[in-house]
Amino acid sequence: MRRNSPKKPLVLLLVFVIVISTLLVVSAKNRNNVSWLDNIIHFTVKPVATFFSNVNTSIDGFFEYFQNKKELVQQVSELTYKNNLLEQKNASLSSLETENERLRQLLELREKYPEFQTTASSVIAKDGGNYSRFITIDKGEESGIKVNQPVLSQNGLVGLIFETGHGWSKIQTIVDPSTSVGCRITRTGDISITEGDNALINEGMLKLLYISKQFTILEGDIVETSGLGEIYPPGIPIGKIKEIKVSEHSNSQYATIVPTVDFSNLQEVLVITEK
Amino acid sequence: MEQANWVKRLKQYLLVALIFLLQFIFADKCRLFGVAPNFAFTFVLTVSFLREQKYSFLSALILGILLDAVSGRLFGPYTLLFMTVAFCIREFYHSAFSENFLIEAFYGLITCFITSVCFAFFISLFRGEFFTLISRTAWMEFFYNFVIFLVMLFIQKKCKKKRRSVFRL
């Protein structure tokens, strides 16, 4: 059995202190000349010091990287947020600009027909069916809207009021197969009738009927309301002639018209409440 | 249990509202060769294959009335059509077959075809030109609706399968 001597550590400590003190005295004795002891000490300590120094640098760099990364991530997040805000603002301004343009055009339209009393209204629903084209707007009889009143947009004729209630009205558009409008070819002054058509409804077009052989209409001619039917005032653009055809059933001619109004993007309309 | 039923009902009727919004907002934007799909019709057809008949009849009624209110000049054709579809599926499918995807798809195909032809015929009673309506609108409408029905039926089956596996767990 090994016996522990209580004096052994104390002796070791004493030896260690003496050695260190001797080294201290020897090294402090002449600072001008590097002693052999200094060399030994530095030679021994250098690799260890270098190693720890490198480790320290690496650790510092490591934490600095994370610190910088944290800052960069924060900056990126702030910039992304700012960018999103600006994008939103930009989108909102673009939307306001478009709305402003639309309203300005409506105002121009209203000024174009100063003799009529009109009510501006927004489109709230479009008939998603395939056999008819109706549009619902957000104003009704409380705004003086009545059945058979004409409806316009900034680009031309939309249709007429088909039904009205409190806070809503249904418009029968000019491309609906049940609608016909008295019209005039702007260039020649020839009078005719436009009508919605079963075959053209899904292409968003309408038909120009009763084209006499004396008519000298051309593709691209503008068609406007004639004002003869007592519903629509004269001079409102309806559309442009796309093609002149000969009917399959009879020998008569008809033309297809592309409406000036883009029904898929229609948002605001003007109802003529009093002529 | 009662609360779970209540939540389920709420979800079902929110789905009906969502389908109406889909029809109301997107149908006009989803036109293919000028023909719009009828999401409401395909939804009614899909839920008719569920064994919850009360829900299928109620959704047919709600969607039919809403669609009639916003479209066309006559009130009633959509309500009538949707209720008829729900009734016919109950009579001719549920009484004869158990759940089967292929038979449901076949029934859907027939229903879409008959509906498009009948609608074209109904419109032609007022305006004539039955064959023009068939060639220009009805066949495309049939095809479009059938494709959407298949997608809805597939989603319905997936949801049902998932729900079953959750209950089994």
Side-chain angles (χ1 to χ4, degrees), chain B residues 136-148:
Chain B
R136 294 293 178 110
T137 309
W139 77 267
M140 189 63 209
E141 187 186 56
F142 150 68
F143 175 74
Y144 207 172
N145 284 345
F146 179 62
V147 170
I148 291 171

Side-chain angles (χ1 to χ4, degrees), chain A residues 3-270:
Chain A
R3 261 178 57 201
N4 279 334
S5 151
K7 281 182 185 170
K8 202 177 176 184
L10 200 67
V11 173
L12 275 174
L13 185 68
L14 196 68
V15 171
F16 184 73
V17 168
I18 290 166
V19 169
I20 292 295
S21 305
T22 316
L23 288 174
L24 200 70
V25 170
V26 170
S27 65
K29 204 174 171 183
N30 189 2
R31 294 310 304 164
N32 291 331
N33 299 319
V34 177
S35 66
W36 57 270
L37 192 65
D38 275 337
N39 273 334
I40 290 171
I41 291 167
H42 278 109
F43 183 77
T44 321
V45 166
K46 195 191 160 191
V48 181
T50 310
F51 171 74
F52 279 106
S53 167
N54 286 342
V55 169
N56 187 30
T57 313
S58 303
I59 289 171
D60 274 358
F62 182 72
F63 283 110
E64 203 175 331
Y65 167 77
F66 275 105
Q67 209 173 350
N68 287 346
K69 198 186 169 190
K70 206 178 166 187
E71 274 172 24
L72 284 173
V73 166
Q74 202 175 340
Q75 273 177 8
V76 166
S77 140
E78 276 171 16
L79 288 172
T80 312
Y81 176 71
K82 274 181 191 167
N83 190 34
N84 284 347
L85 274 182
L86 287 171
E87 269 179 10
Q88 271 175 21
K89 214 170 187 178
N90 194 24
S92 150
L93 283 173
S94 302
S95 156
L96 281 174
E97 201 180 341
T98 316
E99 195 184 342
N100 187 28
E101 178 63 20
R102 247 185 0 247
L103 292 172
R104 197 179 57 77
Q105 282 175 339
L106 270 179
L107 197 68
E108 273 174 18
L109 187 73
R110 199 178 266 196
E111 281 162 4
K112 200 174 159 186
Y113 302 102
E115 65 274 28
F116 305 132
Q117 205 173 325
T118 55
T119 301
S121 177
S122 298
V123 172
I124 52 169
K126 283 174 196 162
D127 181 359
N130 296 317
Y131 299 100
S132 56
R133 287 291 185 279
F134 284 80
I135 288 171
T136 310
I137 54 171
D138 67 347
K139 292 217 174 118
E141 51 197 19
E142 79 288 348
S143 305
I145 295 176
K146 289 175 192 148
V147 172
N148 280 343
Q149 284 173 341
V151 185
L152 326 171
S153 83
Q154 64 265 37
N155 296 324
L157 188 66
V158 174
L160 83 166
I161 299 290
F162 175 73
E163 259 181 323
T164 183
H166 191 80
W168 65 273
S169 299
K170 209 186 253 185
I171 302 166
Q172 185 178 332
T173 64
I174 52 170
V175 288
D176 188 87
S178 318
T179 314
S180 41
V181 181
C183 68
R184 175 192 291 128
I185 318 293
T186 311
R187 190 177 56 84
T188 61
D190 293 326
I191 303 289
S192 185
I193 288 174
T194 68
E195 204 173 76
D197 187 69
N198 285 329
L200 297 170
I201 185 172
N202 290 327
E203 291 164 49
M205 294 197 286
L206 55 154
K207 241 178 184 175
L208 179 70
L209 300 171
Y210 312 120
I211 305 175
S212 148
K213 283 184 180 163
Q214 287 119 23
F215 283 15
T216 51
I217 57 167
L218 298 168
E219 285 168 12
D221 274 350
I222 303 285
V223 181
E224 59 180 32
T225 52
S226 63
L228 295 176
E230 290 192 355
I231 291 178
Y232 306 101
I236 302 167
I238 296 174
K240 212 181 249 185
I241 293 177
K242 192 192 174 197
E243 210 177 344
I244 302 159
K245 290 176 176 176
V246 177
S247 172
E248 292 163 10
H249 311 295
S250 59
N251 226 357
S252 62
Q253 286 186 102
Y254 72 91
T256 53
I257 302 174
V258 178
T260 46
V261 175
D262 179 6
F263 288 98
S264 56
N265 290 318
L266 193 62
Q267 283 172 315
E268 263 98 28
V269 293
L270 209 60

